[in-house]
Amino acid sequence: MNRTAGKKGYFRNWKRLASDTWSLAGLQSRLFQLDSAAWVNRTRMAVVAAIVGGLLAVSAMPVLLVAAAIGMNSAGLHLGWSMLIAGGTAAVAGAVMLYIALSKMKQSFNSFQRSREELASNLTWLKDQFSGN
């Protein structure tokens, strides 16, 4: 009789652990959804602005670079050097802008910090449950 009661308690504990784990998974999923929505809201305007700005910059660049090279050539600089200076300056400016954009995009992923912290906490709890602490 005592052995049967022990089995029932054992299965009841496992059933409760499975239920708690399922509840944690549901809560973790909901938190991820909320963090994802916050990330989309934070980055939507930045992405649209980056696309529009990028298209405008790309379409204006050839004209501006040729104008800069012609201006330097008119000032007495050899045409080849003028073009090299104009193109090199644009390349450096583009690299700096790309670096700034990527660092800002990395910062936007801080929205998921809550999810990471909560997941770590939940995994610690599960580990404690399985180890009997």
Side-chain angles (χ1 to χ4, degrees):
M1 179 82 170
N2 191 15
R3 189 174 179 160
T4 304
K7 284 184 180 179
K8 286 182 182 179
Y10 175 78
F11 286 118
R12 189 177 336 119
N13 288 339
W14 270 102
K15 184 178 175 183
R16 183 171 168 214
L17 178 62
S19 174
D20 289 347
T21 303
W22 189 253
S23 295
L24 275 178
L27 291 171
Q28 190 72 45
S29 172
R30 181 69 182 135
L31 181 60
F32 181 76
Q33 289 171 349
L34 291 172
D35 285 347
S36 297
W39 179 77
V40 167
N41 287 334
R42 282 188 191 151
T43 59
R44 183 179 309 149
M45 270 317 276
V47 169
V48 169
I51 290 171
V52 171
L55 290 174
L56 290 174
V58 165
S59 63
M61 252 320 127
V63 174
L64 294 173
L65 291 175
V66 169
I70 290 173
M72 285 185 275
N73 182 253
S74 296
L77 195 59
H78 186 272
L79 182 61
W81 285 111
S82 300
M83 294 178 123
L84 186 63
I85 291 169
T89 303
V92 168
V96 168
M97 294 296 284
L98 185 59
Y99 174 77
I100 292 169
L102 289 175
S103 67
K104 292 291 183 185
M105 286 300 288
K106 283 182 184 178
Q107 290 174 3
S108 74
F109 286 103
N110 287 341
S111 298
F112 294 100
Q113 185 62 32
R114 286 187 312 179
S115 289
R116 284 191 296 268
E117 290 170 357
E118 195 61 33
L119 180 60
S121 173
N122 290 342
L123 291 175
T124 300
W125 179 83
L126 275 174
K127 182 181 171 188
D128 289 346
Q129 296 304 308
F130 282 113
S131 66
N133 292 336

